[in-house]
């Protein structure tokens, strides 16, 4: 069973991502957090295979969030899932240790491909990057 943490400050987005993840990854157990502090608390007690991380979350520390997640769970894969421009942000987050970067405007099939790519220990960035 894969454990997936969805970190986003918008409840409806968390729900939509969670529903997609449950459909894509079977079997899976999802966990959610609305702030970076909540995410770190969950990571402190539950092993995660994948963290789907929004960037504009309360308590978020920009690119430093990646190293903080890795300090708790170095093996966790991180897919940044953000509305921010890939061209301006993907390289710095990937250099910091994220395993993928996907814009929230991506089609559902690309979302599924990104998740599977990252879970298979490969890197993912959109075609623009």
């Amino acid at each position: 069973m894969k454990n997936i943490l969805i970190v986003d400050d918008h409840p409806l987005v968390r729900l939509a991502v969670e529903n997609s993840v449950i459909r894509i990854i079977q079997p899976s157990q999802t966990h959610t957090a609305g702030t970076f502090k909540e995410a770190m608390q969950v990571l402190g007690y539950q092993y995660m295979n994948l963290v789907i991380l929004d960037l504009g979350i309360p308590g978020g520390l920009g690119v430093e969030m990646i190293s903080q997640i890795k300090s708790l769970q170095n093996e966790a894969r991180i897919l940044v899932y953000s509305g921010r421009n890939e061209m301006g942000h993907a390289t710095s987050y990937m250099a910091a240790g994220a395993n993928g970067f996907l814009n929230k405007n991506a089609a559902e099939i690309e979302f599924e491909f990104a998740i599977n790519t990252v879970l298979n220990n490969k890197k993912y960035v959109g075609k623009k990057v």
Side-chain angles (χ1 to χ4, degrees):
M1 175 167 312
K2 302 283 187 195
N3 284 306
I4 315 297
L5 176 59
I6 301 158
V7 186
D8 197 294
D9 58 327
H10 296 96
L12 195 55
V13 172
R14 282 195 308 267
L15 180 62
V17 171
E18 184 175 28
N19 286 333
S20 292
V21 165
I22 290 168
R23 183 187 54 73
I24 295 166
I25 305 165
Q26 295 179 11
S28 64
Q29 182 173 5
T30 58
H31 307 264
T32 62
T35 68
F36 189 67
K37 181 179 178 180
E38 289 173 5
M40 294 302 284
Q41 289 171 341
V42 172
L43 290 166
Y45 71 80
Q46 178 65 54
Y47 171 78
M48 293 296 157
N49 299 96
L50 176 64
V51 177
I52 299 174
L53 178 67
D54 184 25
L55 298 182
I57 58 171
L61 306 166
V63 74
E64 191 177 313
M65 290 188 291
I66 305 302
S67 62
Q68 288 194 348
I69 291 170
K70 291 290 189 178
S71 73
L72 284 180
Q73 293 197 27
N74 190 47
E75 297 301 314
R77 312 297 291 164
I78 302 171
L79 174 62
V80 175
Y81 185 54
S82 174
R84 294 186 184 171
N85 182 310
E86 289 174 285
M87 295 301 288
H89 293 89
T91 53
S92 59
Y93 281 88
M94 298 292 285
N99 305 99
F101 194 104
L102 181 66
N103 188 278
K104 285 184 176 178
N105 288 323
E108 187 174 7
I109 194 165
E110 187 176 2
F111 179 74
E112 183 173 345
F113 184 74
I115 286 175
N116 286 320
T117 300
V118 169
L119 279 174
N120 286 312
N121 295 321
K122 296 178 183 171
K123 302 283 185 180
Y124 179 85
V125 290
K127 292 175 183 172
K128 291 179 184 178
V129 179

